Amino acid sequence: MMNSARGRRRTLAFVALIWPAMLLQTASAAPYTIDPRDTSANFDVRFLGLFPLHGRFLRTSGMLFYDRETRQGSIDVVIDTTTLVSNNAKAQSLARGPEFFDVEKYPSIAFKSSRFVFDERHLRFIEGSLTLVGHTRPVVLTVTNSRCDAATEHELASCHATAELVVKRSAFGMKAWSRTVSEEVVIRITIAARQATERAPHPVLPGAEPPGSPE
């Protein structure tokens, strides 16, 4: 019992030492605004296991906070589902409807990060939670082609990356058409973010409901 109590005291002491450092890392992270003009989001599913169905969202916004020295930060991304389009009119109507993205009831998809995962030099994964049609689930984004550029005389500092995640429709309550439409949905986001001149609040699209609680 004494060893257990001593262990708890050591743990609390360790947390007390590192907590101020963690706060300083977060506080020093520079804010970047995700630029909707240069950011894109799209999704792919398969029909009858053979034919790809592709759609895209015309507006994605958000905020990135990142410290290039410590490689600490966070990102919030909001996809406006009401801008969903497809090159197939029937697929577009189906995807926007209540059996899939239900854009009238849920006008946004939200991702909120919890941890950036690097290899020796590059950002490889972003762990976090995805809120989709009223359900929030833990997910991992696979990141490629990430880079951050320093400011120049004519350009603000910027960060760019491509991220992809695969979600199972049924995990978010989308169980319709299970015999014809693939269970897995691939979502890809190409992000361009430019350093903000001041910190801005996390984005919420008009009419969007706040992210739900994990179920």
Side-chain angles (χ1 to χ4, degrees):
M1 292 292 292
M2 291 182 62
N3 288 336
S4 177
R6 188 177 297 114
R8 286 195 295 270
R9 287 196 296 270
R10 287 175 179 172
T11 300
L12 290 173
F14 178 71
V15 170
L17 286 172
I18 67 169
W19 183 246
M22 292 173 64
L23 290 177
L24 287 173
Q25 288 177 348
T26 303
S28 64
Y32 294 77
T33 302
I34 293 175
D35 188 344
R37 297 168 300 179
D38 295 325
T39 298
S40 63
N42 59 71
F43 68 91
D44 288 288
V45 297
R46 287 193 171 272
F47 181 72
L48 296 176
L50 297 173
F51 308 106
L53 295 177
H54 177 77
R56 59 194 176 99
F57 303 97
L58 300 182
R59 180 174 173 81
T60 300
S61 59
M63 289 295 297
L64 165 69
F65 295 88
Y66 183 60
D67 187 332
R68 297 179 65 186
E69 296 296 325
T70 64
R71 298 197 296 189
Q72 298 287 326
S74 64
I75 186 169
D76 285 3
V77 179
V78 178
I79 298 173
D80 184 348
T81 63
T82 67
T83 65
L84 187 159
V85 295
S86 173
N87 56 4
N88 181 296
K90 186 173 182 179
Q92 176 175 310
S93 178
L94 187 63
R96 293 173 63 91
E99 294 176 319
F100 289 92
F101 289 104
D102 199 359
V103 303
E104 289 191 8
K105 186 175 182 181
Y106 302 104
S108 67
I109 299 170
F111 173 79
K112 186 177 183 62
S113 70
S114 58
R115 187 167 77 106
F116 289 178
V117 181
F118 287 81
D119 62 10
E120 292 183 356
R121 296 182 56 188
H122 301 289
L123 177 63
R124 294 304 185 193
F125 303 100
I126 302 177
E127 299 173 353
S129 60
L130 182 73
T131 300
L132 173 62
V133 291
H135 301 270
T136 300
R137 299 284 184 266
V139 295
V140 178
L141 299 182
T142 300
V143 180
T144 57
N145 303 320
S146 65
R147 78 176 196 276
C148 286
D149 301 322
T152 67
E153 183 179 353
H154 303 290
E155 296 285 342
L156 295 170
S158 61
C159 290
H160 304 262
T162 299
E164 178 179 302
L165 74 155
V166 179
V167 299
K168 292 188 175 182
R169 294 193 299 118
S170 61
F172 293 88
M174 293 188 287
K175 299 178 180 179
W177 297 73
S178 59
R179 294 185 179 181
T180 53
V181 178
S182 62
E183 163 75 341
E184 293 186 339
V185 180
V186 180
I187 300 176
R188 298 182 184 87
I189 306 173
T190 300
I191 294 172
R194 293 176 175 81
Q195 188 167 356
T197 55
E198 60 183 26
R199 291 179 181 267
H202 295 311
V204 176
L205 294 177
E209 297 184 1
S213 301
E215 299 178 352

